Amino acid sequence: MDMPTVAIVGRPNVGKSTLFNRLVGKKLALVDDRPGVTRDRREGDVSFGGLHFRVIDTAGLEESDAATLMGRMRMQTEAAILAADVVLFVIDARAGVLPADQPFAELVRRAGCPVILIANKAEGGTGLSGAYEAFTLGLGDPIPFSAEHGEGLGELHEALKGVLPKPDPENDDEDEDGAGGRSLKVAIVGRPNAGKSTLINRMLGEDRLLVGPEAGITRDSISLDWEWRGRKIKLHDTAGMRRRARIDDKLEKLAVSDGLRAVRFAEVVVVLLDATIPFEKQDLTIIDLVESEGRAVVIGLNKWDLVADQPGLLKQLREDCTRLLPQVRGVAVVPLSGLAGEGLDKLMQAVVQAAEVWDKRISTSRINDWLSEATSRNPPPAVSGRRIKIRYATQVKSRPPHFALFGNQLNALPKSYTRYLVNGLREAFELPGTPIRLSLRTSQNPFDKG
């Protein structure tokens, strides 16, 4: 069932993101005292006293030239207003109605959808005069509200109940993911300005995310629903990840931690590299982080159109990848151009394949046949004159593939031998590019003499 959409709009720093977090019930949007923190439209699903809707947090409305970053942010907000079933227009009750509020009240009125006027920061009765002043906007009765403290939620609920479209009963029994099945969660990560938002805009076929030449435009982790060849995909665009030592801005620290959270929620992570300067130290650190979180990895070489004329470059970069990233040996490396829309189909094929590998299960009998052959070909070493014995192996879980080995003295097994086993598992059972976990379980039987 398609949920109705509610857009939160207003000038910068009136508390839109705090209201968004309050409605969604968790801190999804970045909140800071500085104006202009939110730059893209951020969406979240809300269940509020029996009401179910999608809420959109928008960038603060400001009068700006369309060519500037602020102007592009305004266009994003206007697009959200046009798509909304209901608009929550937020003002700062303590500041009262400012001249900057008037043109945007006019914009919201012209959109023709129901508007609920919220006079925020009116906690404990402060700012009530500013709330009454909001009548002058011509948007109806304002609701005195405090997003910070949750005051006014009852009045907001009543107002929403009166204007939200009623659900279509014919669609009520459709399951959460619809006919296409469960959504595959995909996060797009990378260094700042690698082209993540441009790539997602190209995938969606619309300018859904704010882009531009300025590095670090995306600050929130944005979640978007999409469909590729009938497969439901939930895309997460994230803020560019920098080395921690270079992050001295509190807001950017929040953005990077938001990106890490998106990685943890994802099943497949596309690490986007700039093909003109690939495999920088920071790229390797990000891939290492994704692997340590146990997520399937696909590497996208973005801006490939700028280097496509260099013969043998792709082969060289794939060899570099094998050498630099042994922990994800065999990972798919896909050349593409988000700007030109090239290579997107191959990227998504690699994403779906990576998800299948990540979710793979192998029978215990096949694993032990392989183990017997692997240990015969290269037996484990001896420790203090006593040979380490690996008796048995099984897969304990998938997502990512996790295997357990049982035997004696396994805590003394050298790292080089566990690497040999992991590489053998990867090759024998076709597990390219996915993290592989190996648990060593030494026998606790005191009568087991090996």
Side-chain angles (χ1 to χ4, degrees):
M1 183 187 76
D2 285 336
M3 285 196 289
T5 300
V6 175
I8 303 173
V9 302
R11 60 183 173 76
N13 217 26
V14 293
K16 296 183 299 298
S17 292
T18 307
L19 173 58
F20 175 90
N21 287 339
R22 174 70 63 180
L23 289 171
V24 173
K26 47 191 167 183
K27 290 188 178 178
L28 288 181
L30 302 184
V31 177
D32 195 87
D33 291 332
R34 279 174 286 178
V37 169
T38 302
R39 289 174 169 179
D40 278 295
R41 310 198 303 270
R42 171 191 270 285
E43 300 178 2
D45 292 343
V46 175
S47 293
F48 181 28
L51 301 176
H52 303 281
F53 55 91
R54 174 154 291 184
V55 67
I56 303 176
D57 182 25
T58 63
L61 287 163
E62 286 188 337
E63 292 274 27
S64 298
D65 179 62
T68 64
L69 175 58
M70 293 305 298
R72 298 198 301 276
M73 287 161 64
R74 179 196 155 98
M75 286 163 63
Q76 285 284 314
T77 297
E78 288 180 5
I81 292 170
L82 291 172
D85 295 297
V86 179
V87 169
L88 303 183
F89 190 89
V90 185
I91 67 156
D92 183 337
R94 287 180 299 199
V97 175
L98 300 185
D101 291 311
Q102 294 286 356
F104 301 115
E106 180 61 32
L107 178 71
V108 169
R109 270 199 302 272
R110 282 203 308 269
C113 65
V115 180
I116 297 172
L117 180 58
I118 292 179
N120 193 30
K121 306 184 186 178
E123 47 263 20
T126 60
L128 277 182
S129 60
Y132 296 138
E133 200 179 310
F135 280 107
T136 62
L137 291 170
L139 297 174
D141 292 0
I143 297 174
F145 200 86
S146 170
E148 184 81 28
H149 299 96
E151 294 175 17
L153 283 171
E155 292 87 340
L156 177 58
H157 181 270
E158 282 303 306
L160 282 167
K161 196 160 70 171
V163 294
L164 278 173
K166 299 293 179 281
D168 181 354
E170 289 181 11
N171 291 330
D172 273 352
D173 57 357
E174 182 180 318
D175 77 34
E176 166 184 6
D177 297 308
R182 193 181 59 80
S183 295
L184 176 62
K185 300 185 191 75
V186 180
I188 314 277
V189 305
R191 284 184 285 130
N193 222 23
K196 298 178 290 296
S197 297
T198 303
L199 173 62
I200 289 185
N201 281 341
R202 178 61 73 166
M203 286 172 158
L204 299 174
E206 59 170 310
D207 288 340
R208 174 60 186 78
L209 295 175
L210 189 59
V211 296
E214 306 91 343
I217 287 177
T218 301
R219 284 174 170 170
D220 285 328
S221 165
I222 310 293
S223 174
L224 303 158
D225 291 314
W226 182 52
E227 204 166 286
W228 177 78
R229 293 192 182 180
R231 177 79 185 258
K232 292 197 169 188
I233 309 286
K234 190 173 274 291
L235 286 171
H236 293 267
D237 180 34
T238 59
M241 296 184 179
R242 317 176 182 261
R243 280 191 299 112
R244 196 171 294 277
R246 294 184 58 184
I247 303 172
D248 52 12
D249 181 273
K250 174 185 128 186
L251 185 57
E252 197 170 342
K253 282 181 183 171
L254 283 171
V256 170
S257 66
D258 209 33
L260 297 180
R261 195 157 51 244
V263 166
R264 289 174 186 137
F265 280 119
E267 294 162 293
V268 182
V269 178
V270 175
V271 181
L272 210 57
L273 275 51
D274 184 331
T276 62
I277 41 168
F279 297 116
E280 296 271 283
K281 185 166 186 258
Q282 196 182 338
D283 295 325
L284 303 180
T285 303
I286 291 169
I287 294 165
D288 204 40
L289 167 84
V290 174
E291 191 277 340
S292 68
E293 289 294 335
R295 300 299 176 257
V297 188
V298 171
I299 294 175
L301 292 171
N302 196 24
K303 309 182 187 179
W304 187 255
D305 46 328
L306 303 179
V307 295
D309 58 347
Q310 298 181 34
L313 179 62
L314 183 58
K315 182 171 181 284
Q316 177 61 52
L317 291 178
R318 283 180 170 147
E319 287 171 1
D320 289 346
C321 182
T322 301
R323 177 174 54 83
L324 295 166
L325 297 163
Q327 70 274 39
V328 287
R329 186 185 295 273
V331 65
V333 179
V334 184
L336 61 102
S337 168
L339 198 59
E342 294 164 1
L344 303 194
D345 216 47
K346 284 187 177 167
L347 177 70
M348 286 312 300
Q349 285 174 30
V351 164
V352 170
Q353 285 166 8
E356 287 168 359
V357 169
W358 188 66
D359 204 16
K360 198 168 189 177
R361 280 227 169 244
I362 301 148
S363 72
T364 298
S365 60
R366 286 181 66 208
I367 294 168
N368 283 287
D369 287 346
W370 162 81
L371 179 66
S372 175
E373 190 184 321
T375 52
S376 297
R377 191 167 55 242
N378 180 12
V383 177
S384 304
R386 188 179 176 210
R387 185 164 293 284
I388 295 171
K389 281 195 178 172
I390 305 171
R391 304 182 179 286
Y392 176 77
T394 188
Q395 184 177 358
V396 290
K397 56 189 243 186
S398 57
R399 305 165 66 93
H402 187 151
F403 301 90
L405 302 182
F406 298 83
N408 73 320
Q409 301 187 97
L410 295 190
N411 53 345
L413 205 61
K415 285 236 175 357
S416 58
Y417 198 82
T418 59
R419 269 198 305 273
Y420 161 72
L421 293 174
V422 166
N423 289 336
L425 283 163
R426 197 184 289 289
E427 197 173 320
F429 300 113
E430 297 178 343
L431 301 170
T434 201
I436 291 177
R437 301 290 183 254
L438 200 61
S439 295
L440 307 175
R441 302 186 181 176
T442 296
S443 169
Q444 298 302 310
N445 182 354
F447 301 103
D448 178 6
K449 301 297 182 189

